[in-house]
Amino acid sequence: MNFLEELLEEAEIKEEEQTEAYFDLLLLQIKQLTKQIEYNFSQSEKECSMINSFVLHKNAQLHEKIRWLEMKLEAFIKEKKEKTIALPNGTLKMHKKPDKVEIENIDLFLKKAKPEMLTIVPEQVKPDMNKIKAYIKTKPVPAGVKVTPGKEEFSYKLNGDETNARKA
């Protein structure tokens, strides 16, 4: 080999090394950009968590204020001793819930139950809650039955917003 060929071969080797270095540099850039993407996602998750925490705290305060306002509304309607009060922005209501009847001891109940308190389906006998409710309005509570008196319930409905009705 002559000197010129050696120089040419050396130049080709250096060029190949530089080409490999260039492509290795591209790989390094991809690695750095991937790390940046991971960092961005991690940072955004932290920030979303902080924002969600802030919003939950703020909304809890707002819910407490709503509960306080609801108590004031309920006290107002009770003071007025009215069942319904229509206001420009909504309606306040006070109504008594029906008594709740539940069978505490089915065996004891069935032994002493009157026929008008039962619904008989072929091969099956079971209490008829509506008939029991009607029966206890005029007669004593049968054995094995527990009556929970209905409570007065306050509710309100905001005008123009069907989804915002509230029962307290």
Side-chain angles (χ1 to χ4, degrees):
M1 252 201 221
N2 66 22
F3 177 73
L4 207 49
E5 287 177 349
E6 285 180 21
L7 272 177
L8 188 59
E9 193 175 311
E10 264 182 50
E12 285 177 356
I13 291 173
K14 283 185 181 180
E15 185 178 315
E16 192 174 301
E17 286 175 1
Q18 284 180 347
T19 303
E20 285 179 5
Y22 171 75
F23 286 106
D24 189 51
L25 186 61
L26 293 181
L27 288 173
L28 180 62
Q29 284 181 334
I30 289 173
K31 185 177 182 180
Q32 289 171 340
L33 291 172
T34 303
K35 284 183 180 178
Q36 182 66 44
I37 289 170
E38 290 171 3
Y39 172 79
N40 291 347
F41 277 123
S42 169
Q43 199 62 24
S44 72
E45 285 175 16
K46 288 177 187 174
E47 290 176 14
C48 285
S49 176
M50 288 172 54
I51 291 169
N52 287 337
S53 178
F54 171 77
V55 168
L56 288 173
H57 176 70
K58 203 69 171 156
N59 285 346
Q61 290 175 336
L62 295 174
H63 279 292
E64 283 301 313
K65 182 148 186 162
I66 288 171
R67 278 193 282 280
W68 182 75
L69 295 171
E70 289 170 348
M71 289 186 335
K72 288 183 82 164
L73 290 170
E74 185 174 357
F76 170 71
I77 195 169
K78 284 182 176 179
E79 181 184 308
K80 288 278 196 180
K81 295 184 172 126
E82 293 185 30
K83 296 283 183 195
T84 303
I85 300 176
L87 299 169
N89 285 304
T91 305
L92 307 179
K93 292 184 181 188
M94 247 355 236
H95 59 88
K96 185 180 183 292
K97 293 183 86 170
D99 295 344
K100 182 180 175 187
V101 175
E102 62 182 281
I103 307 299
E104 288 186 313
N105 184 334
I106 190 75
D107 295 328
L108 178 61
F109 170 75
L110 289 175
K111 285 179 190 173
K112 303 206 177 194
K114 307 256 188 257
E116 65 259 26
M117 289 188 244
L118 300 171
T119 300
I120 299 173
V121 179
E123 311 262 338
Q124 185 181 23
V125 176
K126 65 180 186 176
D128 185 326
M129 297 304 207
N130 290 329
K131 289 180 182 177
I132 295 168
K133 281 183 186 180
Y135 178 85
I136 62 174
K137 287 185 188 223
T138 58
K139 298 178 179 111
V141 177
V145 174
K146 176 184 172 190
V147 177
T148 307
K151 297 177 183 169
E152 276 202 337
E153 184 179 85
F154 169 71
S155 65
Y156 65 88
K157 180 179 171 189
L158 301 174
N159 290 342
D161 191 357
E162 298 302 315
T163 61
N164 232 343
R166 165 74 166 93
K167 292 186 179 180

